[in-house]
Amino acid sequence: MQTHRAVVLFNLGGPDSLAAVEPFLANLFSDPDIFRVPLGRLIQKPLARFIARRRAPEAARGYRAIGGRSPLLENTLAQAQALQAELNKQAAVRVAAGAARVQASSGFEHDVYVCMRYWHPRATEVVAQLKSKGYTDVVLLPLYPQYSVTTSGSSYNEFMRVCRDANYAPSIRFIRDWYRQPDYQRAIVESLRQALRELPDPDPAHVECLFSAHGLPQKFVRAGDPYEQQVRATYEAIRAQLNWPHTTLCYQSRVGPLEWLKPYTDEVIRAKAAAGAKQILVYPIAFVSDHIETLYELGITYAQLARDCGVSHYRVVPALNAHPRLIAALRDLVLT
C-alpha cells in the first residue's frame, strides 16, 4: 500500500520585505548554534535585537538593490515543486515498469516542504503541518551541499527541538551532506562551460575562474567543523572535470573582527586584476539558490570592485536554482 513521505528542504531564509530585515537579522543572531555568548539564555535575544538594529540599515541597502526582498523563498519553492514532481514521476515509472525488485522508497508518494531557518516558513510552522497531516516518515534535506554546524547542523537542531516541544516523533532520515553527488557536480560544470561560451574571449587560458564560497570563522574549523574540507573537495572535483588552467577557491561574506577562512574573494579580485586579468568568471560554489550573497555581494558590489580595478569582463554564474541536474541529484538523495 502506498503511503506519503514528507521531504523537508532546509534553507537559510531571507526577509520578504525591507521591514522584515531587522527581525530576520534578530532571528539569525539569536541562533545558539552560531552565536554563543555568556549567560546566553538570559542575554542572547536582547543582544541579538541590539546587533540587528545596528546592522539592519546596511543590510537593507543590499536588499533594496535586488528588489526590496530576498528571492530565496521563491527560488526554494521552485526547487521544491520540481523535486516533488520528479520524485512522484520516478515512483510512477518504477511502478509502471513492474520491476520485480522495487526499493521501499518507490512505494511512497512524496510531499515536499520548505523549512527556513531564520524567516518564514520556520520549523514551528512546518512541524505543525507535518504533525497535523500525520506523516510518520520524514526526510530532512538541507540545500547546503557541504555540512556545517552553522547551516545544516543549525537547521537540524532547531527542527528536532521543535519536534520535541510538539511531541512529534516521526521516523527521520537526515541527509548530512551531498557535495560528492555526481549530478550536482555535473550541473556546476555545465553551468560554467555555458558561461565561458558567453565571454568575449571564451578561451579558458584567458579567464580567471573564482569559486566563491560563503565564509566561516576559523574557530569553527579549529573545533572540527568539516565545511572547509568539504568545500575544498568540491572545488578539486570540479577543477579536475573542467581542466581549466586558472582557478581559485576563495571565501566571501565575512563580518566582524574574527579570523575567517581565506583567501577573501574581494582580495582575490584585486590581486587578479593587478596581475592583468581582464576576464573573471565567478561561481558561487557553496550556494545552490540565488540570494543576496550571489545577487548583491557578488553580482553588484564585487562587480563594481572588478570594474574599478580594470577588469573588462566580470561575470557571476547563476546558482543552480532549479537546474534539472540539481533536481535529479536531490531526487536520488531522497530515494537512495
Side-chain angles (χ1 to χ4, degrees):
M1 184 176 68
Q2 208 168 48
T3 57
H4 282 254
R5 166 189 284 162
V7 179
V8 180
L9 299 183
F10 285 153
N11 215 332
L12 182 80
D16 50 18
S17 67
L18 293 177
V21 172
E22 186 174 321
F24 164 76
L25 292 176
N27 290 337
L28 171 64
F29 293 120
S30 296
D31 187 344
D33 290 308
I34 302 178
F35 302 99
R36 299 164 188 167
V37 297
L39 303 174
R41 290 188 177 182
L42 294 175
I43 69 171
Q44 182 142 15
K45 287 191 175 180
L47 180 61
R49 289 193 291 268
F50 172 75
I51 297 172
R53 281 195 299 272
R54 296 192 62 180
R55 292 190 179 273
E58 180 181 355
R61 281 194 291 273
Y63 287 108
R64 189 176 292 111
I66 61 172
R69 61 183 178 84
S70 171
L72 191 57
L73 178 58
E74 178 183 351
N75 289 334
T76 309
L77 286 171
Q79 291 165 324
Q81 291 164 4
L83 176 58
Q84 179 164 318
E86 186 65 22
L87 283 167
N88 293 331
K89 179 180 73 175
Q90 187 77 1
V93 168
R94 289 183 178 179
V95 171
R101 298 179 65 189
V102 179
Q103 293 180 358
S105 58
S106 69
F108 286 93
E109 284 287 336
H110 293 84
D111 301 323
V112 183
Y113 292 81
V114 167
C115 183
M116 297 299 193
R117 182 63 183 90
Y118 305 117
W119 204 241
H120 308 290
R122 301 193 69 190
T124 50
E125 304 163 58
V126 176
V127 168
Q129 282 186 287
L130 300 182
K131 184 179 180 182
S132 70
K133 294 183 179 180
Y135 292 102
T136 58
D137 194 283
V138 177
V139 177
L140 303 180
L141 176 51
L143 290 177
Y144 308 103
Q146 302 87 10
Y147 177 88
S148 173
V149 69
T150 63
T151 52
S152 303
S154 175
S155 291
Y156 174 79
N157 291 343
E158 176 68 3
F159 189 89
M160 298 306 293
R161 283 192 290 264
V162 172
C163 283
R164 286 193 293 271
D165 291 344
N167 195 28
Y168 177 53
S171 172
I172 288 179
R173 180 163 69 95
F174 175 50
I175 299 172
R176 194 171 187 267
D177 60 63
W178 45 277
Y179 62 96
R180 289 172 292 214
Q181 213 288 335
D183 274 319
Y184 160 65
Q185 293 186 2
R186 290 189 195 107
I188 296 175
V189 170
E190 288 179 5
S191 297
L192 279 162
R193 286 176 175 161
Q194 176 60 38
L196 179 72
R197 288 193 289 268
E198 296 168 2
L199 289 175
D201 181 356
D203 183 346
H206 301 155
V207 177
E208 290 289 345
C209 184
L210 311 187
F211 290 84
S212 186
H214 197 289
L216 185 72
Q218 285 280 6
K219 69 176 185 178
F220 288 98
V221 178
R222 288 193 290 267
D225 194 292
Y227 176 75
E228 180 186 26
Q229 175 188 350
Q230 294 185 1
V231 167
R232 179 160 292 280
T234 311
Y235 163 71
E236 296 291 353
I238 300 302
R239 184 174 69 165
Q241 293 178 59
L242 287 171
N243 196 29
W244 291 357
H246 306 299
T247 64
T248 305
L249 175 62
C250 46
Y251 297 90
Q252 64 182 95
S253 306
R254 69 189 186 276
V255 293
L258 294 176
E259 180 188 5
W260 286 58
L261 292 175
K262 294 180 178 180
Y264 302 139
T265 302
D266 55 340
E267 294 181 356
V268 171
I269 291 172
R270 291 188 183 94
K272 297 298 184 184
K278 295 302 179 185
Q279 295 187 124
I280 293 181
L281 196 61
V282 182
Y283 187 81
I285 191 169
F287 306 93
V288 298
S289 312
D290 277 316
H291 58 311
I292 192 166
E293 279 89 354
T294 64
L295 300 175
Y296 178 69
E297 186 175 13
L298 292 180
I300 296 177
T301 303
Y302 288 174
Q304 184 61 55
L305 171 64
R307 287 192 294 270
D308 291 345
C309 291
V311 176
S312 304
H313 301 283
Y314 172 94
R315 179 179 175 82
V316 179
V317 183
L320 295 177
N321 296 310
H323 191 293
R325 283 202 183 275
L326 174 65
I327 302 306
L330 300 178
R331 176 202 66 205
D332 289 350
L333 289 164
V334 171
L335 295 179
T336 300

